Amino acid sequence: MSSSETTTDHTAIQKWAEKRDGKPSVIRTGGKGGVLRIDFGEKEEEFDEIGWDEFFKIFDENKLAFLYQDKTKDGKTSRFNKFVERD
């Protein structure tokens, strides 16, 4: 069975993403900061790659948490993630 975890730890998030060749990215909106994403593989057109410092600034300003899965139910490395509101 696979399970997910939630964290706000910057180091844990960055390590999880980099282990999967993920790049910190944002979809720019008319509002403050933008919509955060981790971009894997070939760059998505609407994603702007940003540095980790900007990424975590937006992350903290919007009081987000990172929901992620380490392994799939069959034991493979998972890239499942999403940004959720902090409790």
Side-chain angles (χ1 to χ4, degrees):
M1 178 179 219
S2 62
S3 63
S4 61
E5 298 183 42
T6 304
T7 187
T8 58
D9 182 88
H10 293 188
T11 302
I13 296 165
Q14 185 172 347
K15 284 182 179 182
W16 182 92
E18 289 176 345
K19 183 178 178 183
R20 293 155 176 80
D21 294 323
K23 306 282 189 244
S25 302
V26 66
I27 300 172
R28 300 289 180 191
T29 63
K32 183 178 173 185
V35 179
L36 292 180
R37 294 286 184 260
I38 305 276
D39 197 11
F40 300 99
E42 212 167 301
K43 185 182 176 306
E44 297 277 345
E45 186 176 321
E46 66 272 8
F47 291 7
D48 287 333
E49 189 174 325
I50 58 175
W52 285 110
D53 288 341
E54 181 180 359
F55 181 90
F56 288 121
K57 182 176 186 255
I58 296 168
F59 181 82
D60 289 335
E61 285 176 349
N62 288 285
K63 296 181 171 62
L64 297 173
F66 185 68
L67 175 71
Y68 66 99
Q69 181 182 51
D70 194 46
K71 300 278 184 189
T72 62
K73 66 181 177 181
D74 59 358
K76 294 182 181 173
T77 299
S78 175
R79 295 191 316 193
F80 171 78
N81 72 92
K82 86 183 202 181
F83 297 93
V84 297
E85 292 182 13
R86 291 181 190 176
D87 290 332

